[in-house]
Amino acid sequence: MGTKTGRYAMLEQFLADGMHYMFGNPGTSEEGFLDALGDYPELKYILTLQESVAVMAADGYARATQKPALVQLHSTPGLGNAIGALYQAKRGHSPLVVIGGDAGIRYQAMDAQMAGDLVAMAAPVTKWATMVMDAASLLRVLRRAIKIAATPPMGPVYVCVPLDILDAPAVETVQPTLIPSTQCLPDEALLQTAATLLVAAKTPMIFVGDGIAFANAQDELTRLAEQLGAEVWGVDAGELNMSHTHPLYQGATGHMFGYQSLPILTKGDVNLVCGTYLLPEVFPELGHIFAANAKTIHIDLDMDSIAKNYPVDLGMIGNPKLTLARLATLLDLMMTTEQREQAQLRRLAIAAEKESKRSHAIAMDQAKREETPLHFSRVAAELALQLPEDSIIFDEALTCSPALTRYLPPSQPGHYFLTRGGSLGVAIPGAIGLQLAHPDKTVVAITGDGGAMYTIQTLWSAARHKINAKFIICNNRSYRLLQLNVLAYWRDRQLPQRDYPLSFDLSQPELHFDELARSQGVAGIRVERPDAIAPAIRQALDHQGPFLIDVVLEGDVRPEMVGLRCGQ
């Protein structure tokens, strides 16, 4: 081989950092780099047919392993294709290390084909973006990027490595990247103050995000919530931060309209926020969000999240696992017998109300169990009967999520992943990443028809790499979430309800996802009747390799109008 060049040193750096998969789509400026992969069989290349698929598959892998995942992108057009997926990864704090190609530093004055300011393109959708300008700093920059991606708040980084850097002699030594420890506690006096506030609360409320899961603090959160008798709400959460089966877990605040979250946020007299910021809705509340005179405590490793949009009374930088554990210990020492009894009464009342709502929802499901077109609650109930207990689910079908979690309530960390960030098409590629991280587990992606069409070519990659994931398409022939959102818009603006815009209608021409799957080498079946659901799930689970179920659900669509008013 002679003198080792940058392209070989890069691959050895990735292996030194425990990276064994690279998700990508090749381009001309990375040919030498990808050719060198042949000399490192322990680093496997997962070929995708579009850059957003590569990013989303890596996102799933990073979420499953809680470690940096490696992505390779082509130059300007390739990075452009990946922008939306990178935004998704940034919003979800996914530690992706994205390596981008470029023809070479020596050509940058030429405005040549595919020239562009790659760093400026990547900067808004990454935690850090840079270009390696000298071969003597190639590995230094890569280690810095890996450290930044993996340090809270985690997020994607972009490193452009021009071709002349890849071909230059490597002069640095490969060594593993040091990830700084975040095992830190706030000042004890501040913790005492926080505990004093919480002990005195009559209606304590807890709001949590994925900082809980990233710190593996689910047990500590649960213990503290039980001590207080506090409702626990997820905010901007895609991971499992508390078991959905726990009586105190109440679900998520609104993600679209701020006014939908206000009744929840104004309930408490003492609010504890941990591992998230308030409040990441599309149309957030611009005024006050807490009750008058309520006290708010905010704990996070991300300094920017604390008091980001709304004032808090006490903000503390600290590891959620350590900090919540210390708070729980302080509460044990400080709570009186009467306060413990009041907390127990709150726990019982919250549990009773939650069970009442669940029982009512199940009764409603039973009333429409045999209807056609199908309701997803019937599908969820059948999944609950057949899926192995340690199955891993990637849930992107937001309008079906309530039914899914009603029958398959997530309870194990690392076994349920919810879409986050707003991009469509994440579940199918995300499931590939989950399955590569857990080849011995059953992985199921659940997505809608609209979302599936964003990244349907992912099925080809699943077949090529023999990914054993299962895919369920909730085919309601519409952008259902947009229909629900426009209903809220009409109500908010006091406008009369009318037919949904035809731009939300996907019914004409009809999409057959089972046929799309088979055309890419993936077995598939279409389900339209209640009695066909259970056999289809059984067939999917018994099948060795990827399998898709196209479930035709009820939907408010007007295919007869598409030809008449297709330009609406």
Side-chain angles (χ1 to χ4, degrees):
M1 186 187 301
T3 303
K4 187 179 296 182
T5 58
R7 56 192 175 125
Y8 293 99
M10 279 182 66
L11 297 175
E12 292 178 10
Q13 180 64 55
F14 296 143
L15 288 169
D17 282 314
M19 298 178 176
H20 294 284
Y21 288 104
M22 180 187 299
F23 302 85
N25 180 264
T28 304
S29 57
E30 306 89 52
E31 285 178 337
F33 168 55
L34 296 175
D35 177 54
L37 267 176
D39 296 325
Y40 300 90
E42 62 270 46
L43 181 52
K44 298 176 177 60
Y45 189 85
I46 304 300
L47 176 60
T48 67
L49 300 183
Q50 209 263 4
E51 289 81 358
S52 61
V53 175
V55 173
M56 291 175 177
D59 174 74
Y61 187 81
R63 293 179 70 174
T65 61
Q66 293 193 338
K67 296 179 180 178
L70 183 59
V71 180
Q72 170 268 320
L73 298 178
H74 189 33
S75 58
T76 311
L79 176 58
N81 285 340
I83 292 294
L86 285 172
Y87 176 82
Q88 177 92 0
K90 184 180 182 183
R91 297 294 303 191
H93 301 294
S94 192
L96 305 185
V97 178
V98 181
I99 304 301
D102 181 75
I105 295 173
R106 59 180 175 163
Y107 298 123
Q108 289 186 358
M110 304 297 292
D111 191 27
Q113 182 76 354
M114 292 192 288
D117 192 341
L118 296 166
V119 173
M121 288 175 62
V125 293
T126 56
K127 188 178 175 185
W128 186 57
T130 191
M131 177 183 287
V132 180
M133 300 300 292
D134 190 283
S137 288
L138 171 60
L139 301 188
R140 187 192 334 272
V141 170
L142 289 179
R143 285 192 289 268
R144 182 181 177 189
I146 294 167
K147 180 192 73 171
I148 291 172
T151 304
M154 296 185 296
V157 295
Y158 173 82
V159 180
C160 179
V161 186
L163 186 58
D164 37 17
I165 300 294
L166 291 172
D167 288 339
V171 298
E172 297 171 283
T173 301
V174 172
Q175 59 188 54
T177 301
L178 173 68
I179 308 300
S181 171
T182 55
Q183 301 299 303
C184 58
L185 270 171
D187 182 80
E188 180 67 15
L190 294 177
L191 289 168
Q192 292 275 355
T193 301
T196 300
L197 289 171
L198 290 167
V199 163
K202 303 299 183 185
T203 312
M205 299 284 288
I206 301 178
F207 302 96
V208 298
D210 289 337
I212 297 293
F214 298 154
N216 297 312
Q218 291 93 342
D219 289 344
E220 289 74 14
L221 167 64
T222 302
R223 177 188 173 194
L224 187 70
E226 289 175 346
Q227 287 175 295
L228 293 170
E231 294 183 10
V232 179
W233 290 86
V235 180
D236 194 32
E239 313 295 312
L240 183 73
N241 298 302
M242 185 175 183
S243 173
H244 288 213
T245 62
H246 197 286
L248 296 176
Y249 181 75
Q250 301 298 297
T253 60
H255 78 282
M256 185 61 62
F257 302 102
Y259 67 82
Q260 294 176 337
S261 300
L262 273 181
I264 301 167
L265 294 160
T266 55
K267 288 173 69 172
D269 58 348
V270 179
N271 304 292
L272 175 62
V273 184
C274 188
T276 189
Y277 78 93
L278 299 179
L279 244 105
E281 297 139 332
V282 178
F283 304 101
E285 179 65 32
L286 296 177
H288 297 294
I289 62 170
F290 298 120
N293 302 317
K295 300 295 183 182
T296 300
I297 304 159
H298 199 152
I299 301 163
D300 214 304
L301 281 170
D302 179 8
M303 183 181 297
D304 182 61
S305 289
I306 298 175
K308 182 173 184 174
N309 292 322
Y310 306 100
V312 301
D313 298 280
L314 182 60
M316 298 182 286
I317 298 291
N319 180 284
K321 185 179 185 71
L322 300 179
T323 306
L324 295 180
R326 181 57 184 157
L327 280 175
T329 299
L330 291 173
L331 290 183
D332 271 341
L333 296 172
M334 298 170 65
M335 291 182 78
T336 65
T337 300
E338 181 182 358
Q339 287 168 336
R340 296 176 196 277
E341 291 173 350
Q342 289 300 313
Q344 170 69 358
L345 291 175
R346 289 194 292 268
R347 288 196 298 270
L348 293 173
I350 294 168
E353 183 177 359
K354 180 176 179 177
E355 180 56 33
S356 175
K357 290 178 180 178
R358 181 178 180 275
S359 298
H360 176 72
I362 290 176
M364 296 288 287
D365 295 339
Q366 289 295 114
K368 54 193 178 187
R369 178 178 169 83
E370 301 301 327
E371 291 182 5
T372 54
L374 301 171
H375 293 268
F376 188 74
S377 56
R378 175 68 184 269
V379 179
E382 295 288 356
L383 283 171
L385 294 174
Q386 296 197 44
L387 286 185
E389 286 189 8
D390 63 350
S391 296
I392 301 174
I393 292 176
F394 199 120
D395 178 11
E396 185 190 5
L398 292 180
T399 57
C400 294
S401 295
L404 176 68
T405 55
R406 187 154 57 244
Y407 292 94
L408 282 164
S411 59
Q412 301 180 65
H415 285 70
Y416 176 76
F417 299 90
L418 183 67
T419 183
R420 58 196 184 183
S423 298
L424 290 182
V426 298
I428 299 179
I432 286 184
L434 297 181
Q435 190 73 80
L436 289 170
H438 297 288
D440 58 329
K441 298 285 195 298
T442 297
V443 173
V444 180
I446 300 175
T447 185
D449 44 357
M453 287 304 295
Y454 273 60
T455 53
I456 196 65
Q457 67 269 52
T458 309
L459 296 175
W460 182 91
S461 296
R464 178 186 177 96
H465 296 287
K466 299 179 174 58
I467 307 295
N468 198 37
K470 315 305 175 185
F471 310 100
I472 296 177
I473 312 298
C474 302
N475 189 351
N476 55 35
R477 294 149 291 144
S478 63
Y479 290 123
R480 174 67 64 83
L481 191 60
L482 293 182
Q483 291 178 338
L484 296 178
N485 288 343
V486 80
L487 280 174
Y489 173 81
W490 288 332
R491 286 194 296 267
D492 184 56
R493 301 299 195 274
Q494 297 183 341
L495 297 172
Q497 183 174 335
R498 56 180 183 168
D499 291 344
Y500 295 122
L502 282 179
S503 55
F504 300 173
D505 191 316
L506 306 179
S507 63
Q508 181 64 32
E510 194 170 9
L511 290 165
H512 283 257
F513 289 92
D514 55 327
E515 296 176 6
L516 288 169
R518 287 192 290 271
S519 74
Q520 298 181 71
V522 172
I525 190 171
R526 189 173 173 92
V527 173
E528 300 181 82
R529 304 183 320 277
D531 61 357
I533 298 172
I537 294 172
R538 193 174 308 115
Q539 184 179 348
L541 295 176
D542 290 343
H543 181 79
Q544 294 301 306
F547 195 99
L548 181 144
I549 304 176
D550 180 9
V551 182
V552 181
L553 300 177
E554 49 82 28
D556 191 336
V557 294
R558 296 176 178 273
E560 74 282 358
M561 298 301 297
V562 172
L564 300 177
R565 293 191 284 131
C566 61
Q568 182 204 37

